Amino acid sequence: MTEKIAVERKVLSENDKLAAEIRSQLMQRGVVALNFVSSPGSGKTSLLEKTLAALNHELRLGLIAGDVQTENDADRLKRAGGKLVQPIVTGGLCHLDAKMITRVLPEFDLAQLDLLFIENVGNLVCPSSYDLGEDMKVVVLSTTEGDDKPLKYPGMFRRAKVMVINKIDLLGTSDFDLARVKENARRINADLKVFEVSCRTGAGLPAWFDWLRGLVHAPARDLPLTTGA
Amino acid sequence: MHELSIATSIVETVLQEMQRRQLPAVETIAVRVGALSGVVPEALEFSFSAIINGTPLAGTRLAIEQVPLQGKCRNCGLDFSVVEFIFACPHCRSGQIEITKGEELEIAYLEVSS
Ligand SMILES: [Zn+2]
């Protein structure tokens, strides 16, 4: 005879519990947290570099830089002027989880912070499953990738609130179609907010910076919350 | 390939349950994997079988139930199957769709011999 025992537990319930604690800590201190996800090579680190350099003097920024093996990204970002850069080397792991964030969060004085950026590991699958306690996920993709990327990674594009399309200076050098990528992304997520930028020429970046400034000045309760995976 | 982390979480959770309920062995672990969960069933099976050797779960079978995407229109209330990740209401075309099924990543039940 076999007997069925109901369990009904989320596999990532431990992670989700920690993420909820992080979220409440950040909210209490009025810190807005953005979780940046992308494929490798999208220019996510460049975007963060430009963003830190542009806003570091007017906003209080912190950054957690996740990297698989090295601290290269964190070093680049420190040079860009981020005093509060905390690296996490995942040791081969393909995503950050809430426990890693919990470990490094005490390095930040949350009362002295407006925006916390989390640079996730470069891939569009694994990080989508892990809630890090962020306010929202920002997915970065570039015009050197396929414009069908949203359709290939629907989970990530569904869970993100913002899509930043980088390298628009390279439009026209490949089959990448800006209208099509937006259409594909909005098929998955009608509410996705889109920015078109070039970290190389600086095009589009002012609008992105303005939107970030707006986030800091918006009452925390108006922010859309990312639901756990 | 985060299925290894997922498999590890499953094993840890089930070992806790075994201890709590005083179960000497488990024949089957039934898990629900939604279409939007980001988990590839084959990779999960592979990871699971690779890590259970030498644990009280050696020999345990993982039964994966794949859950297709289901949505509910926030505008007109229609429940419908989301096909090919098109999140638009087939009735009123609204894109304001709440996911009601398909994000699951959960342990449903255990089968034990009694
Ligand atoms: Zn409708």
Side-chain angles (χ1 to χ4, degrees), chain B residues 48-86:
Chain B
F48 177 78
S49 62
I51 61 170
I52 54 174
N53 286 330
T55 79
L57 287 174
T60 297
R61 193 175 72 91
L62 194 65
I64 297 179
E65 181 200 342
Q66 289 178 259
V67 185
L69 264 176
Q70 192 80 24
K72 187 183 178 69
C73 176
R74 285 207 177 101
N75 184 41
C76 75
L78 183 76
D79 279 302
F80 63 98
S81 302
V82 178
V83 182
E84 290 182 339
F85 303 108
I86 301 174

Side-chain angles (χ1 to χ4, degrees), chain B residues 6-83:
Chain B
I6 304 285
T8 307
S9 299
I10 292 175
V11 167
E12 282 168 3
T13 307
V14 173
L15 289 176
Q16 280 171 22
E17 289 287 323
M18 286 172 79
Q19 200 163 34
R20 203 160 68 83
R21 298 169 192 260
Q22 310 263 302
L23 305 172
V26 171
E27 279 182 11
T28 306
I29 302 169
V31 295
R32 281 189 209 108
V33 174
L36 211 63
S37 70
V39 166
V40 180
E42 293 74 26
L44 182 59
E45 258 165 20
F46 176 80
S47 305
F48 177 78
S49 62
I51 61 170
I52 54 174
N53 286 330
T55 79
L57 287 174
T60 297
R61 193 175 72 91
L62 194 65
I64 297 179
E65 181 200 342
Q66 289 178 259
V67 185
L69 264 176
Q70 192 80 24
K72 187 183 178 69
C73 176
R74 285 207 177 101
N75 184 41
C76 75
L78 183 76
D79 279 302
F80 63 98
S81 302
V82 178
V83 182

Side-chain angles (χ1 to χ4, degrees), chain A residues 4-80:
Chain A
K4 254 191 199 182
I5 299 174
V7 177
E8 298 297 341
R9 266 178 74 179
K10 282 191 172 182
V11 173
L12 298 176
S13 54
E14 291 297 318
N15 181 82
D16 293 350
K17 208 164 69 189
L18 287 176
E21 282 165 20
I22 296 167
R23 181 166 289 121
S24 108
Q25 267 190 63
L26 294 172
M27 273 184 116
Q28 273 170 25
R29 303 302 179 94
V31 182
V32 179
L34 303 182
N35 179 1
F36 286 76
V37 293
S38 78
S39 298
S42 65
K44 180 170 40 137
T45 306
S46 300
L47 179 68
L48 286 165
E49 225 173 353
K50 297 278 178 198
T51 305
L52 283 180
L55 298 178
N56 208 29
H57 300 290
E58 50 180 300
L59 298 177
R60 300 171 302 173
L61 309 173
L63 187 139
I64 296 173
D67 218 331
V68 182
Q69 293 296 0
T70 68
E71 293 187 8
N72 285 348
D73 283 357
D75 290 344
R76 263 176 74 184
L77 292 161
K78 268 184 210 158
R79 279 198 296 276

Side-chain angles (χ1 to χ4, degrees), chain A residues 19-20 22-36 101 110 113-118 130-139 158-162 211-212 215-216 218-228:
Chain A
I22 296 167
R23 181 166 289 121
S24 108
Q25 267 190 63
L26 294 172
M27 273 184 116
Q28 273 170 25
R29 303 302 179 94
V31 182
V32 179
L34 303 182
N35 179 1
F36 286 76
I101 304 296
L110 296 183
L113 214 55
D114 296 315
L115 274 176
L116 177 64
F117 300 135
I118 302 170
Y130 292 83
D131 183 5
L132 303 181
E134 74 274 7
D135 289 285
M136 61 187 105
K137 291 186 172 67
V138 176
V139 60
R158 178 72 196 183
R159 291 192 182 105
K161 291 278 186 279
V162 182
W211 181 77
L212 289 172
L215 279 185
V216 172
R221 63 182 176 280
D222 289 351
L223 290 172
L225 284 180
T226 312
T227 49

